[in-house]
Each structure stands twice: as structure tokens, then as C-alpha cells.
Amino acid sequence: MNNALAHDKKHIIIVTVAIMAIAMVASLVFKPHVRAANDNTAVASYKTWKEVPVKGSEKVKPIEVKSFLENIWHSTGIYKIIHTETPEEAAKAKLEAEIVEAEKEAQAKAAEEELLAHPVEGWKSVIMILIGFIIVYLAVAKGFEPLLLIPIGFGTILVNIPGAGMGSAPDGMLHIIYSAGVGNEFFPMLIFMGIGAMTDFGPLIANPKMALLGGAAQLGVFATLFGVAVLNLIPGIDYTMLQASAISIIGGADGPTSIYVSAKLAPEMMAVIAVAAYSYMALVPMIQPPIMKLLTTKKERLIKMKQLRVVSKTEKTLFPMMLLVLTVLLLPPAAPLIGMLAFGNFVKQCGVVDRLSKTMENELMNIVSILLSLGVGSQMTPEKIMNPNSLGIIILGLVAFSIATAGGLIMAKIMNLFLKDKINPLIGSAGVSAVPMAARVANKVGMAEDPTNFLLMHAMGPNVSGVIGTAVAAGVFIATYGH
């Protein structure tokens, strides 16, 4: 046991040094924007936050409780079913969509012109290549999410090779991959299909109360919005609400959802958001145990839970259909993710199309994971990574994930105040979306206290509910800011 702890501590030190090295590189190479002497444009800071809007958020309306609830209501399937869209509303929606598309094209053109006017220095490309090698090293030598980080690392290396043009439009291989499935959110939805085919919702169906733990873990997602607001008070850092929403999803420890939301709301930050999300998913076994032990007592960690009841095949088959119906009625913006999750799970549980189920969870999942990760790596370029906003994302991702873990643990302790049959608070940490890694960590920490205390199946309940919860949070952000 002592050797294992020492080994884990060594891993923690190595990973921490690697992350800090990346962060230091980003901060060292960043050159603050120096305003000209005749430029009197105010900058948002702790002194001017009441008067100066965050750059890029000028057109984003402040969110009030009333307008927020109205917006959510208007985005529900129930409202759209009972409300017939008038020609004026249809014309307004079409105009808004055209404006958004025109703004995206203008931003892309401006970014291209800026890159041509200020080409990336060769030494910055070399640093990004080194970062790519660090990512590959962590995946191979330390086993941190190798299926994802190896392609991301190689994508980072390949896109930064001077003169190779692998990320250049329109014919660069990595550009084609990104355009074909990452930038348009296609690959993340296929990933959710595969996750559905690999997921067993039985533990959640057997003990529905565990959904509360998955919901509580989303505290990390929403609390990160406040963290983004705080960082905006630092001169030189400006996050828009769209970017803040995309960053916050890191708290759910869900890589595909992070990519999906960032592609919708903040495509310019997709690379660092995706890498942060997957990195913290890989670091679950190291980040969570200290928080779990800090917020629970030995007596609580020794709690043994009753064996779960056997869930029938009929229940497992009906569950994804009920989940889909609720999504259709209450939160259609989350339907692309939850719909694919429900589809994959239904194919698995119905038992009449085993070939499709096995394809989804094996061949299709592997192929899409390769392409998705290469596409993410293709966005790891100096102009997108080497700036203080990217450094802030790395910090906020860790804070968000830690708060999410704490949220699930605290909710479990609160539930024990009212439950006759106590639950082990350790399973609350599994409320994040890292399936099944977070559940395994909860089980490992529990067995360290009592080798006969098996918590894995109990922890899978909040774990799978966390996947749904993060998708719902993503739907709320898209419904609020996605138009």
C-alpha cells in the first residue's frame, strides 16, 4: 500500500510539473496588448467592472431571473408544440441566424487576416511541438487517457510542423478532419452514441435517489461562471459569457460535451478547453481522493450500503425512451447529446441488434475517438494557446472539477440527514461525468478503509446520472446563449 501511495505521489508531481510548465510557457510568451498613446479605450478591470463591458460581450444581454426563465420556457418542446410560430417570428429567427453566421464568417476572416499580418514565429511552433510530445509522454508513460491524449498530442505536433500545412485550409488533412466532424459537433454526438451503447443505467434505475448526487456535481459547472467573472477583473483577461459557458462544462469532466458546447459557443477556445477537460478526466484518480478524504470522516467512509435490487430488462429498455421523451418536452437544445446517448443505450438494451450495439461501442467508438482527438489537436496552435485566457482555462478547469467533486460529496452527507438507510458519501464524488473512472476511484478509496466494502455498482448510479446532468447543463447554456 505504501509503495502504491508513493507511486501515486510520484505521478502527481510529474503531472503537476507538466501542467505548470505548459502554463508558464503560455504566460511567458504572452505579450500584453499595449494600447497606443491616443487610444483611450477603457479596459475591464476590478476598478471599472461596473462601467466597462467585457470585450465581445457587448451584444450579450444581462441575464435576469425572469428573462432567463422565459427564455428556457420558450426553448422547451412543450412551448414549441403548443405555440405556432408566426411569420414575423420566423422571419426574425431567420434574420438572427443570418446575422450570427455573418459574424462568424467575419471573425474567421479577421483571424485569418491577423495571422497573415502577424505570422507565428518559428520558436513558438517549436514550443507547441514540445507540448505535443509532453502530452504523448503522459499518455504513454503514465497511462493518462492514452486513447485520447495520444491522438491529441500527435495532432498538436503535426499541425505545428513549419511548412507542412496539415492544418491549413482547404486541403490540409487536419483541417479536413476538424471541418468534417469537430467544428460542426458531429463527432461528439457519435461519441455519445458509443457511450450510450457502453453504459448500464441499471444502478441508477435501482436507486433513483442517486440522480441527486449527479445533479449536485453540476455545482462545479455553474460555480465556474463566477470564477470566470473574477478572472475578468484581471487586466488583460477578457472572457465573454459564451466563452464562460464553454469553460464551465469542464467542471463536469466530460470531454465530448465540452467540445460540443465550445463548438457551439466558443470555437476559438475549443482546443485548450478540450485538452483541459480530457487532462482532468485523466487525473481523476489523483485529484479526487484528497478531496474525498478531506470532506468525509472515517466513519462515513466505512458505511456499507445494501445490495441493489435486480433491474429487469424491460426497465432498462424503457429508460432511454423515457429519457428521450423528457428531453423532447423539456430541453430540446440538449437533444443532440441526450438523444444520441438514449439511442446508443436503447440499441444495447433491446437485444435485437447486437451487431449495431457492438459496432457502436467498439469499431465506431474507436474510429471517431481517433478523428475527434486529431481534430482537437489540430487546434493546438500558438495563437490559440499562448495567451492568458488559455492559462485561466487551465486554472478554472481544476477549480471547476474540484467543486464538482465536493458538490457530490456534500449532497450525499446532506441526504444522510434524512435517509434511514445511509449512503456512503464517497459515491457522491462519482457524480462527475468521467465514466467509469470516477466510480472506480470511489470504490478504491472505500476499499482502502475496508477491503470488504464494494461501492462500484452503487457509485455507477451517480456516475451515469452525471453524464445526463452535464448534457442538461450544456442544453441550458445553449438555450440561454446559443442564439
Side-chain angles (χ1 to χ4, degrees), residues 205-473:
I205 299 171
N207 194 356
K209 295 189 294 293
M210 296 299 100
L212 295 175
L213 301 179
Q218 306 316 308
L219 177 65
V221 172
F222 293 98
T224 307
L225 288 174
F226 295 96
V228 172
V230 171
L231 285 183
N232 270 346
L233 301 182
I234 301 175
I237 295 182
D238 287 309
Y239 295 116
T240 68
M241 279 306 302
L242 304 183
Q243 293 169 341
S245 299
I247 295 168
S248 298
I249 294 295
I250 297 175
D254 192 330
T257 305
S258 297
I259 294 172
Y260 180 81
V261 176
S262 60
K264 284 278 190 183
L265 303 181
E268 70 280 2
M269 288 189 166
M270 179 190 295
V272 67
I273 287 175
V275 170
Y278 281 121
S279 297
Y280 291 128
M281 284 173 63
L283 294 175
V284 165
M286 298 178 186
I287 297 175
Q288 285 196 322
I291 301 173
M292 296 161 71
K293 293 179 180 179
L294 178 65
L295 296 179
T296 59
T297 65
K298 184 176 181 64
K299 182 179 178 180
E300 288 174 327
R301 295 194 292 271
L302 290 172
I303 294 176
K304 288 190 175 183
M305 300 176 64
K306 292 183 178 179
Q307 185 174 353
L308 295 172
R309 69 175 179 86
V310 177
V311 178
S312 67
K313 181 179 178 179
T314 301
E315 290 176 287
K316 290 184 178 181
T317 304
L318 290 177
F319 181 83
M321 303 306 292
M322 294 177 62
L323 180 63
L324 182 59
V325 170
L326 288 174
T327 304
V328 169
L329 294 177
L330 300 179
L331 197 61
L337 294 175
I338 295 182
M340 289 296 98
L341 182 73
F343 171 54
N345 191 251
F346 181 80
V347 169
K348 171 187 177 70
Q349 300 298 344
C350 70
V352 296
V353 280
D354 288 341
R355 288 174 57 188
L356 296 184
S357 176
K358 291 178 180 178
T359 298
M360 287 180 185
E361 60 182 300
N362 293 302
E363 291 83 0
L364 180 62
M365 189 74 164
N366 292 335
I367 293 171
V368 176
S369 294
I370 293 171
L371 296 177
L372 175 65
S373 302
L374 282 173
V376 170
S378 73
Q379 300 302 294
M380 294 279 286
T381 52
E383 68 274 10
K384 295 180 181 179
I385 301 301
M386 294 182 176
N387 57 70
N389 283 351
S390 297
L391 176 60
I393 289 173
I394 294 173
I395 297 172
L396 285 171
L398 179 59
V399 172
F401 185 70
S402 300
I403 293 175
T405 301
L409 292 166
I410 293 171
M411 174 57 75
K413 293 165 72 78
I414 293 174
M415 290 172 63
N416 276 343
L417 297 176
F418 306 96
L419 294 176
K420 180 180 179 182
D421 296 325
K422 306 300 182 183
I423 61 178
N424 192 311
L426 292 177
I427 69 173
S429 65
V432 297
S433 300
V435 179
M437 191 181 301
R440 290 174 180 167
V441 170
N443 183 64
K444 181 180 179 181
V445 174
M447 291 185 68
E449 301 289 344
D450 179 1
T452 65
N453 193 8
F454 298 99
L455 298 173
L456 182 60
M457 292 310 297
H458 296 286
M460 284 302 298
N463 209 183
V464 297
S465 69
V467 176
I468 299 172
T470 304
V472 170

Side-chain angles (χ1 to χ4, degrees), residues 15 22 40 49 106 113 135 138 165 182 189 201 279 294 310 319 349 387 397 419 467:
V15 174
I22 294 173
N40 296 318
W49 66 275
E113 292 175 351
I135 293 173
L138 292 175
V182 183
M189 288 188 283
F201 286 106
S279 297
L294 178 65
V310 177
F319 181 83
Q349 300 298 344
N387 57 70
L419 294 176
V467 176

Side-chain angles (χ1 to χ4, degrees), residues 21-32 118-132 156-157 160-163 380-383 385-387:
I22 294 173
M24 288 175 64
V25 166
S27 60
L28 287 173
V29 300
F30 168 66
K31 296 179 180 180
H118 303 90
V120 176
E121 295 94 329
W123 65 271
K124 289 185 177 180
S125 296
V126 172
I127 289 178
M128 291 306 302
I129 290 174
L130 292 176
I131 291 175
T156 303
I157 295 168
N160 286 288
I161 297 176
M380 294 279 286
T381 52
E383 68 274 10
I385 301 301
M386 294 182 176
N387 57 70

Side-chain angles (χ1 to χ4, degrees), residues 73-90:
W73 164 243
H74 290 163
S75 70
T76 64
I78 297 175
Y79 175 82
K80 295 183 183 298
I81 290 172
I82 64 178
H83 176 76
T84 302
E85 190 175 53
T86 64
E88 292 78 12
E89 290 174 334

